[in-house]
Every structure is written in structure tokens, then in C-alpha cells.
Amino acid sequence: MGDGLDYDQVKQTIFTAGAGNALQAVRLPLEEVPNFIEDPAGYEQAWRTWLHARQLDLQKILLEDGKLKGDDLGRCAGKLCVLRGTSPRGDHGHVVVARVKADGEFELLHDPFPDAASPMLRPPFVWAAMMLPQ
């Protein structure tokens, strides 16, 4: 996900707000990916460690007004990413697979929630993460 990396349309299986496994489900089958949210080191460190073992780096970018801007936009336009926003099913965070558009906004492609309806994600969009080859 990022420079030509693809994703499977996996569905999450844990739905507890703040403890679900949507992040685990954004790229590969669940049995191939740990549930990063459960790691005592924190989800981001667990995600980075897991990716590093697969020759990938995590580039997590905080968004400005829900968009990528400046140099980040220049590097990421057209790439797949994990986009974090607010779940349409409650007042908690959620992630989906998206593509960065040329204007810094996002095309939402895949919601790992099994009964996903439109919209997949509500603003504010907080961060976008690319998984890039080392």
C-alpha cells in the first residue's frame, strides 16, 4: 500500500469501539496480520515493527483540514493509504483504505467493517499512512 502495494478486501471481526481490528484488516487476511491495537507497546509501534520485518516503512502523516498538503501531497498523490477518521457507527476512530487524490483529498475504497454503508468514514480525517518499500 503506497508504491504499488495492493490490498485484499478483508473484513474486521472485532467491533468494540477503541479496540476493534479495522487496522488489522486493511491490507491482508487477518490470519497474516496481528491485531496491532492489542499490543502493549501501542498500535503504531507494533505496526511499524511488523512492517519493518517485511521490508516496509510506515509513513504516517497528520492531515491539515482533512487533506494532504505541500511536500506530502507531492510524494503521495495517487497512492493507496490507510485513512483515519471517525466511524459512521459512533463517536470513535476508524480506518479505511483510500487513494490520495491530486488535490490532497481522498477517494475512499474499502471499509473493513462487514456491513459498511455509505459513508465509510466521517470527518474529521486525522491522518493518512502509507506502507512503503524500504
Side-chain angles (χ1 to χ4, degrees):
M1 187 169 300
D3 282 336
L5 297 174
D6 207 355
Y7 69 97
D8 288 346
Q9 291 201 6
V10 177
K11 298 297 185 180
Q12 72 184 95
T13 57
I14 302 170
F15 310 105
T16 306
N21 65 337
L23 184 58
Q24 178 186 17
V26 295
R27 181 154 179 244
L28 296 168
L30 294 176
E31 60 274 6
E32 296 179 28
V33 184
N35 185 355
F36 304 114
I37 299 297
E38 294 177 339
D39 195 295
Y43 81 88
E44 187 172 344
Q45 183 57 49
W47 194 11
R48 286 182 188 283
T49 300
W50 185 84
L51 288 171
H52 191 263
R54 286 150 186 80
Q55 307 302 310
L56 296 168
D57 282 326
L58 178 66
Q59 182 181 10
K60 185 176 168 186
I61 304 164
L62 294 178
L63 304 177
E64 297 178 43
D65 301 318
K67 294 179 165 186
L68 278 176
K69 296 186 178 180
D71 291 341
D72 291 326
L73 175 56
R75 283 192 308 272
C76 300
K79 291 185 170 64
L80 293 174
C81 68
V82 175
L83 179 63
R84 197 276 193 187
T86 303
S87 172
R89 294 164 293 280
D91 223 7
H92 54 276
H94 185 57
V95 294
V96 300
V97 177
R99 184 175 308 281
V100 180
K101 296 182 348 184
D103 62 1
E105 294 190 0
F106 299 90
E107 175 188 4
L108 306 183
L109 301 173
H110 170 63
D111 186 344
F113 190 80
D115 297 322
S118 195
M120 290 184 199
L121 202 61
R122 291 184 297 131
F125 300 147
V126 181
W127 52 258
M130 317 299 168
M131 294 174 262
L132 303 171
Q134 294 179 345

